[in-house]
Amino acid sequence: MSLESNELRDLYQEVILDHNRRPRNFGALADANRTAVGHNPLCGDRLQVFLHVAGDRVQDISFQGSGCAISTASASLMTEALKGKTVAEAHALFESFHGLVTRGEGDPGALGKLAVLSGVREFPIRVKCATLAWHTLEAALEQQEQPVSTE
Ligand code: ZN
């Protein structure tokens, strides 16, 4: 392994540890209109994702729960990446992220900070930890919106 990839790996590790220590967008979202709970029994990770979707946009997003460093960091990074994105962009990012961590596909550069989790591909059991927040997100997005009527 070259020096550069060792340095890159250290940098990735640092970002993961930082997001685990200080998870971003952590806690329940007061005005959430979609939420879902996810559980990864293989590791014991449990988390809940909260979304405030308005029109076709993720206006706000948060999560809470407890789990290993990978699951917490992944959820934290996901909330950062998705805030303000459209629902279509959120689905596309899920597909890209999933392809990267399960099959090493895609362009890590297009994933921004989420690429720090690309290393989990070498540890199949950790892939479940890294994708838990995303599967929970998909479940929350699939919920029907509360019917809104002005008539
Ligand atoms: Zn885990």
Side-chain angles (χ1 to χ4, degrees):
M1 181 171 283
S2 73
L3 182 63
E4 278 120 64
S5 46
N6 272 327
E7 282 175 355
L8 193 60
R9 180 172 283 201
D10 287 349
L11 175 70
Y12 282 3
Q13 193 67 26
E14 228 166 85
V15 174
I16 291 168
L17 292 176
D18 176 52
H19 276 263
N20 177 51
R21 272 195 303 263
R22 297 185 301 120
R24 319 302 199 267
N25 306 302
F26 190 82
L29 196 63
D31 61 351
N33 54 9
R34 303 194 199 180
T35 182
V37 173
H39 180 215
N40 172 19
L42 285 174
C43 179
D45 311 315
R46 266 176 204 283
L47 53 84
Q48 183 169 13
V49 171
F50 301 88
L51 296 170
H52 180 76
V53 178
D56 68 343
R57 207 166 278 278
V58 178
Q59 296 285 356
D60 211 353
I61 178 170
S62 74
F63 80 103
Q64 65 181 16
S66 64
C68 66
I70 297 289
S71 68
T72 302
S74 182
S76 174
L77 287 158
M78 180 188 81
T79 60
E80 269 195 339
L82 293 184
K83 202 178 277 195
K85 293 275 197 298
T86 65
V87 170
E89 287 168 339
H91 284 304
L93 211 50
F94 167 82
E95 292 299 332
S96 302
F97 181 74
H98 199 256
L100 181 73
V101 298
T102 59
R103 300 184 298 275
E105 289 175 4
D107 170 18
L111 282 164
K113 254 200 226 172
L114 296 171
V116 301
L117 289 158
S118 58
V120 301
R121 191 167 69 91
E122 294 164 44
F123 311 97
I125 203 151
R126 287 297 183 196
V127 170
K128 305 249 182 217
C129 301
T131 55
L132 175 64
W134 291 86
H135 286 296
T136 311
L137 164 85
E138 287 283 302
L141 285 175
E142 277 163 22
Q143 287 172 359
Q144 292 298 308
E145 261 185 282
Q146 296 300 314
V148 175
S149 174
T150 53
E151 293 173 21

